[in-house]
Amino acid sequence: MVRRLPYWKELDRTERELIALSPDDEAEIKKFIQHVRYAESCTIPAEKPMDMMKISDYIKMGKSMADMPKVMKEYGKIDLNGLAERFHSPLLKKLMTDYLPANYTAYSFLVSYATMTSGNGNIPIGGSLAMTNRIIEKYKSMGGELYIDTPVKRILVENGTAKGIELESGKKVMADEVISAVDLSFLFGELIDKSYMPKELKKGYTSSNEYPTTSGFQMAFKIDDTFSGEDTICFGCDPIIIGNRHFDRIFVRNYSYDKTFAPEGKAVLQTNIPQTDEDFHYWKSLSKDDYRTKKQELIKEVTNRIVRKFPELEGNLELLDCWTPLTYERYCNAYHGAYMAFATTLNAKQLKIKGELKSLKNFYMAGQWIMSPGGLPIAAISGKFAIQRILKKEKKSIDI
Ligand SMILES: Cc1cc2nc3c(=O)[nH]c(=O)nc-3n(C[C@H](O)[C@H](O)[C@H](O)COP(=O)(O)OP(=O)(O)OC[C@H]3O[C@@H](n4cnc5c(N)ncnc54)[C@H](O)[C@@H]3O)c2cc1C
């Protein structure tokens, strides 16, 4: 894990630095920081699925998150634009809207930040690959078998019961229980009939204003690890259209803190320009040739902007790869290339999908789309919940 200051000191330091930057905003900064501290009590209920919780579980959860109502009262009815408006300093306004899209609820920003300041969230050394490999090792050590590059064509259903899967190769694999962990937009319509789709989910797909998704136009570069920029730096740039929208701010993230990512003396620098449902449709509308040409054009344009901001990188940016929402769709069957689930906006109720279907027995759903806003913790917890549902059916203890 990477950590520079003990987490309880990071918020104090941030408060001091922000006040020094904008003394006029002192009261608002103190309120913000205080509510981030309150939001540190917010954790994802991971013990068991909500529908298996007893009253005593709800009381326990309420007690452990006792400070969260204060956060919701102060920041639950505004979005990040509204939060930015509370500050005088133009820089602090940017700070509030640079991390998440400005139409997302303000409280989700506080909760994300609090996850890091509380120490409940962190950056694993070795990144996703090392973490995935640890999961695989554990799974295999418990007798699990893993088949990769083995796409599933459909889930076999007989008389309202899941019976197994059919692979793209035509091979059928029969099973007592089937747990799907693919993107739900692919599950309903491709692996099982769309008519099984829960109505909450339909709502998400038909209203992208209320339930937006986020993907990215991303580029990764090899650089020398002497680059002076630390962590993530957002900066203003000449306007540029990426997807269907204008951007005048971009960011670079320097991964030099993780020595496992690059050979000695080198580091990975990445930029990620957020892409929406609207942008996805733009990329999708391009022919193969236009898509390639557009990518090349943007690689040049974005690289120029990075070099203009950091002249020390001139001649020291070797492009490793560039990818778009279509890449996530192609590799992962991800809805609109999204790498998080539906976001919660002010007008929308948070979507929660039960991990099983009334009309299909012996079948369970896992993956980030089970609960907004998605992400790795939700994906991991949903897998545990699927197992607990099977244990409950088998009248075994669900304490795992
Ligand atoms: C750049 C980036 C940064 C991120 N940062 C964070 C972060 O800091 N914190 C965080 O919590 N989350 C982060 N995420 C999001 C996180 O990666 C996702 O939320 C998570 O991977 C979702 O897990 P999942 O299992 O639901 O879906 P996926 O990871 O998409 O897994 C679904 C799998 O199903 C496979 N599949 C699809 N169709 C089939 C088929 N027909 N047959 C067999 N297999 C199939 C896909 O190939 C894929 O491997 C980030 C994502 C990205 C892209």
Side-chain angles (χ1 to χ4, degrees):
M1 295 289 180
V2 185
R3 188 167 283 298
R4 294 192 173 83
L5 266 179
Y7 56 82
W8 60 90
K9 287 196 180 161
E10 277 171 4
L11 268 179
D12 293 341
R13 187 187 68 173
T14 304
E15 185 176 275
R16 274 197 313 276
E17 288 180 355
L18 296 185
I19 293 171
L21 191 79
S22 178
D24 283 355
D25 286 312
E26 179 166 350
E28 201 56 51
I29 292 166
K30 284 191 164 160
K31 183 165 68 179
F32 176 78
I33 296 289
Q34 182 56 52
H35 283 77
V36 172
R37 288 204 170 89
Y38 291 146
E40 288 180 349
S41 70
C42 182
T43 52
I44 306 168
E47 222 164 275
K48 55 179 99 158
M50 299 280 260
D51 52 281
M52 287 188 195
M53 282 170 56
K54 300 187 193 115
I55 291 181
S56 56
D57 294 318
Y58 279 102
I59 293 172
K60 200 169 129 198
M61 186 169 86
K63 271 190 192 157
S64 71
M65 297 197 208
D67 283 332
M68 252 326 266
K70 295 179 199 157
V71 179
M72 296 310 287
K73 190 169 171 224
E74 189 58 43
Y75 297 99
K77 292 198 179 75
I78 54 167
D79 60 16
L80 287 166
N81 267 325
L83 177 61
E85 277 167 20
R86 292 184 177 184
F87 295 89
H88 298 103
S89 153
L91 200 55
L92 292 193
K93 285 179 193 290
K94 298 279 185 219
L95 179 68
M96 299 300 148
T97 50
D98 267 346
Y99 175 66
L100 288 174
N103 60 334
Y104 283 24
T105 48
Y107 79 87
S108 41
F109 176 51
L110 272 87
V111 170
S112 295
Y113 184 25
T115 304
M116 301 305 284
T117 61
S118 68
N120 191 19
N122 213 322
I123 299 169
I125 287 294
S128 311
L129 181 61
M131 197 176 86
T132 306
N133 284 337
R134 286 194 291 274
I135 295 172
I136 292 171
E137 260 170 49
K138 177 80 180 171
Y139 174 68
K140 285 186 172 170
S141 75
M142 296 176 81
E145 286 178 30
L146 177 72
Y147 299 87
I148 52 170
D149 287 332
T150 314
V152 177
K153 192 161 137 201
R154 66 189 177 104
I155 290 166
L156 302 168
V157 176
E158 265 173 45
N159 302 324
T161 306
K163 293 286 188 183
I165 52 173
E166 182 181 338
L167 305 176
E168 284 287 358
S169 64
K171 187 178 169 193
K172 291 183 179 168
V173 184
M174 307 316 284
D176 297 331
E177 315 280 353
V178 175
I179 303 174
S180 163
V182 298
D183 187 289
L184 294 183
S185 72
F186 185 76
L187 169 69
F188 296 104
E190 294 290 336
L191 297 190
I192 55 172
D193 198 88
K194 220 174 189 164
S195 58
Y196 286 110
M197 186 186 284
K199 62 178 190 311
E200 301 89 323
L201 193 59
K202 274 187 206 153
K203 211 169 150 192
Y205 293 135
T206 49
S207 174
S208 59
N209 281 340
E210 284 175 293
Y211 295 102
T213 62
T214 303
S215 186
F217 174 83
Q218 288 166 264
M219 291 163 62
F221 302 92
K222 183 160 120 183
I223 57 166
D224 290 338
D225 72 353
T226 48
F227 175 50
S228 59
E230 269 188 59
D231 293 315
T232 303
I233 307 163
C234 302
F235 56 93
C237 63
D238 289 343
I240 180 169
I241 298 177
I242 300 179
N244 224 14
R245 293 170 312 126
H246 278 87
F247 292 84
D248 56 11
R249 287 182 74 71
I250 52 179
F251 76 78
V252 288
R253 181 168 294 153
N254 178 4
Y255 286 92
S256 64
Y257 60 79
D258 191 331
K259 300 297 170 205
T260 68
F261 283 162
E264 204 167 326
K266 297 288 173 190
V268 176
L269 188 79
Q270 207 194 98
T271 184
N272 180 359
I273 290 127
Q275 297 283 273
T276 60
D277 302 282
E278 187 190 338
D279 299 320
F280 170 82
H281 292 306
Y282 162 81
W283 289 107
K284 201 73 184 166
S285 73
L286 300 180
S287 68
K288 223 173 184 174
D289 283 347
D290 288 348
Y291 174 77
R292 284 203 188 113
T293 311
K294 191 62 181 173
K295 255 175 79 172
Q296 291 309 317
E297 193 185 292
L298 288 176
I299 287 170
K300 228 190 228 167
E301 290 286 330
V302 174
T303 308
N304 284 343
R305 281 161 178 77
I306 295 173
V307 171
R308 216 166 294 152
K309 174 72 186 171
F310 304 102
E312 67 183 279
L313 289 173
E314 176 97 63
N316 179 25
L317 277 174
E318 186 187 322
L319 183 74
L320 295 170
D321 207 351
C322 168
W323 61 105
T324 75
L326 296 199
T327 318
Y328 289 110
E329 187 196 41
R330 187 155 61 89
Y331 277 87
C332 304
N333 283 325
Y335 172 73
H336 288 184
Y339 51 68
M340 296 293 284
F342 297 114
T344 311
T345 57
L346 279 185
N347 306 322
K349 226 175 106 190
Q350 197 184 33
L351 289 182
K352 283 196 193 94
I353 313 293
K354 201 171 166 189
E356 58 189 336
L357 298 169
K358 264 195 193 136
S359 49
L360 190 56
K361 285 192 209 122
N362 298 359
F363 176 74
Y364 309 87
M365 293 171 286
Q368 62 163 338
W369 293 91
I370 294 298
M371 199 161 78
S372 293
L376 270 178
I378 300 286
I381 291 164
S382 70
K384 171 183 168 178
F385 287 174
I387 302 296
Q388 286 173 312
R389 290 185 193 285
I390 295 172
L391 288 171
K392 189 176 175 198
K393 194 171 85 173
E394 292 180 348
K395 302 200 177 354
K396 291 182 181 158
S397 165
I398 62 159
D399 292 333
I400 53 172

